[in-house]
Amino acid sequence: MAATKTVPTGKGPVNFATVGRVIKPAAMQPARLTTLVNKIDTKTVAGAAASLREVKLRPAQVAPVMAHIFKASPDNALKLSKAVLEHAKSDQGDEGHARALFQWAQGPKQRQMVCTAFRQQKLGAVAIHQIGELTQKDAQSYMKDYFESGGTINAVLQWMEIAGSVLNENLAGKHEGTAGSVVKWVGNQFKKVAGKVVDAVSGMVHTVSDAIKAAGKSLAHVVEQVVSWTADRVRDVVRALVAAGKTVAGLLAEAVKHGLAALDKFVHALLAAGRSILSVLDWAANQALNVVKTAVNAMLAAGLKVAAVLTEAVKLAAKALQQVVQALYQLGKKAGEILSSVASTAVSIIHTVLQGLFQIGVQLADAVVAICQNVLEGFRKGFFQGLIALGKTPLEIVKAAAKGAGAVVGLALAVIMEVFGGHRPLNDAEIKEARKIFGWSIPLERVKLAVASVPADLVNWINGNRAFTTMYVINFASWFDIDKNMHSLIHELTHVWQATTSGPVYMVEALDSQLFGRGYNVTDADLARANGNFNKLEREQQAVVVEYYWWGRYGGAGFDWKKYEPLAKAVYRPAAGRAPAPLRAAAAAGHR
């Protein structure tokens, strides 16, 4: 038997010393051997064990004694084999006696007898451990004889559970159905290879796994036996199987044959064994949606977040990604959480995620509201591009947004305008005029002007052909000449001021003013009722007051600008550190 073995790891072969040492049989003279054998009582197992204690049998003497007695009587050899194992468990013996017994058996009959002794002494898992220490060729022969002698796969699984537990660093945990003495025995053997435990255990599991296959037992037999085990026990066996090179796909394919509950256990076990989220999802992607749902649910139950699952899922093909998204939604995850988790991905990914949600019944309005409320401002554009790529028109999107909270329609409009682009910053002349009215109350560097490139039906639905403002973007009709209509720019900048002070809800309030309120009408009676309180005016009235104030004072329109000044001054704010009027009057060209 070789003292070293080679283990395939995926990174090239790894050589390491065999876990159990080879017990070299003692060279005994025939007369001395006969004398020793005559001192052993082989009538009963108990008597034989007592005899071994009296003669102080050494591990090296096991092979010659066993060979002598087996030649004379296989029945007595079986009793002696059991006695050797009893002696190995006693204070006078050690694991070396059991190892020597195992290594002595070379022919099929001897191996089958030894395996029978291990099984009848409830040390089946120890026998598997001994097989794992052999070369692959010897292990395969021994494993066949183990099954030929009546051995079952249960002992193999008990050993794998212990091996997996060592790999999971959980040897002290409870092992249901596995005798405590076996756990201690096998565990102690693993501990004796300090510094090489992972390589040693992995190598032995490879050897045992190959031997099982050579003996005609498949992965299906293994899975079939463990599906009813507790999750912790399944985890340890799966950890061993993974170490043996079993694939995620292979394990899950066998597990799902036994139902979704079994699949759930194996997904948990594989994740605990260090297998990747992607490897599980990659297998599940080719299955029915209820299988994907079970796999995803197991991940969430294991403590993974939606974002972690989707981070890996986006690496899958489109159909598979959609299944994961649909599974998450069916498991009660909100559209907002799902969408926000893919916010930083490519538009093509967002498009796929949205399509998956729509296929499972999510309404456009729900999606738009989720985007506006859950996705950070800098990422919303990609989602609206995704909606448009799915055939949703800008008008449909904005109308869907109108079904949500008041601020949603404003945010949707702002993003739509950003999507269609064509914006430019304010020029120097525009900034100069704006400063006269607003001072530094507006971050003018954020303001963008655009000649409307959005579809005409949306422009008309919003405001006819009038200019309209969406947060920091001011949209004009394509024919509009801003230079000749500076008063309109001031009007729209008032809406930007409203956005900076009230948020996007101002857009809904402005639309409400146009459709149902005073709109653009500002009478002297309105001014009197306001009594210097700008907030008593509707949103469009506010913009008209500021527009007329600039138009009358700086635009040469001939308006009585002084009657608007008490209200218009509400939008002005000097720069930090600037002195109040009249010292700032020159900079403001006579303002106030």
Side-chain angles (χ1 to χ4, degrees), residues 37 41 84 119 145 175 179 184 194 277 288 342 353 365-366 383 400 484 492 524 527 561 572:
V37 168
D41 178 7
V84 169
R119 286 191 296 102
D145 287 321
H175 293 264
K184 182 179 179 181
I277 299 171
V342 296
V353 171
D366 296 328
F383 285 88
K484 295 179 179 179
E492 297 305 322
D524 288 345
L527 298 176
W561 56 268
Y572 185 86

Side-chain angles (χ1 to χ4, degrees), residues 335-336 338-345 347 350-351 353-354 367 371-372 375-376 379-390 397 415 419:
I338 294 172
L339 294 174
S340 63
S341 296
V342 296
S344 60
T345 60
V347 174
I350 292 171
H351 171 278
V353 171
L354 286 167
I371 293 166
C372 292
V375 176
L376 295 176
F379 296 112
R380 291 177 191 142
K381 180 179 179 180
F383 285 88
F384 278 72
Q385 289 173 322
L387 290 172
I388 292 171
L390 285 170
I397 295 171
V415 180
V419 168

Side-chain angles (χ1 to χ4, degrees), residues 323-338:
Q323 283 189 309
V324 174
V325 168
Q326 291 166 356
L328 285 167
Y329 190 75
Q330 286 191 343
L331 288 168
K333 300 305 175 183
K334 302 296 184 184
E337 184 178 6
I338 294 172

Side-chain angles (χ1 to χ4, degrees), residues 112-131:
Q112 289 177 26
M113 183 203 70
V114 167
C115 287
T116 298
F118 271 88
R119 286 191 296 102
Q120 291 182 356
Q121 293 303 104
K122 301 187 184 306
L123 295 174
V126 177
I128 303 304
H129 187 82
Q130 302 296 336
I131 292 175

Side-chain angles (χ1 to χ4, degrees), residues 103-325:
Q103 292 176 0
W104 159 74
Q106 296 297 304
K109 291 182 178 180
Q110 293 96 327
R111 288 194 294 259
Q112 289 177 26
M113 183 203 70
V114 167
C115 287
T116 298
F118 271 88
R119 286 191 296 102
Q120 291 182 356
Q121 293 303 104
K122 301 187 184 306
L123 295 174
V126 177
I128 303 304
H129 187 82
Q130 302 296 336
I131 292 175
E133 292 180 351
L134 304 176
T135 63
Q136 288 193 340
K137 181 179 179 181
D138 290 337
Q140 290 174 8
S141 297
Y142 227 126
M143 188 67 77
K144 289 179 181 178
D145 287 321
Y146 164 79
F147 286 115
E148 285 289 334
S149 70
T152 68
I153 202 163
N154 287 333
V156 178
L157 297 177
Q158 287 179 347
W159 179 82
M160 282 193 170
E161 181 186 358
I162 300 169
S165 183
V166 171
L167 294 172
N168 283 321
E169 299 181 351
N170 189 40
L171 186 61
K174 182 180 180 182
H175 293 264
E176 302 173 28
T178 301
S181 61
V182 172
V183 175
K184 182 179 179 181
W185 190 321
V186 177
N188 285 340
Q189 296 309 299
F190 283 133
K191 288 180 178 178
K192 288 179 181 178
V193 289
K196 297 184 292 186
V197 174
V198 173
D199 279 348
V201 177
S202 298
M204 292 179 72
V205 174
H206 267 285
T207 298
V208 170
S209 179
D210 289 345
I212 293 172
K213 184 177 180 180
K217 305 294 181 181
S218 67
L219 180 60
H221 291 100
V222 174
V223 174
E224 182 180 12
Q225 293 298 316
V226 304
V227 289
S228 61
W229 288 13
T230 63
D232 285 347
R233 295 185 68 200
V234 172
R235 178 201 62 195
D236 289 340
V237 172
V238 167
R239 183 65 179 85
L241 291 171
V242 167
K246 302 304 179 185
T247 65
V248 170
L251 287 167
L252 293 180
E254 290 300 329
V256 78
K257 293 177 183 177
H258 299 278
L260 296 180
L263 175 64
D264 180 89
K265 283 184 185 179
F266 270 75
V267 171
H268 271 92
L270 285 163
L271 294 175
R275 299 301 89 181
S276 68
I277 299 171
L278 182 59
S279 65
V280 175
L281 292 177
D282 192 43
W283 171 81
N286 296 313
Q287 312 301 315
L289 182 57
N290 65 328
V291 173
V292 180
K293 184 177 175 180
T294 299
V296 171
N297 189 52
M299 293 178 179
L300 299 177
L304 294 173
K305 302 296 183 184
V306 171
V309 174
L310 285 174
T311 296
E312 297 303 311
V314 297
K315 300 172 185 177
L316 301 171
K319 181 180 178 181
L321 173 57
Q322 287 176 6
Q323 283 189 309
V324 174
V325 168

Side-chain angles (χ1 to χ4, degrees), residues 344-367:
S344 60
T345 60
V347 174
S348 59
I349 296 295
I350 292 171
H351 171 278
T352 299
V353 171
L354 286 167
Q355 189 174 37
L357 288 174
F358 290 147
Q359 287 175 352
I360 208 166
V362 175
Q363 300 301 306
L364 177 60
D366 296 328

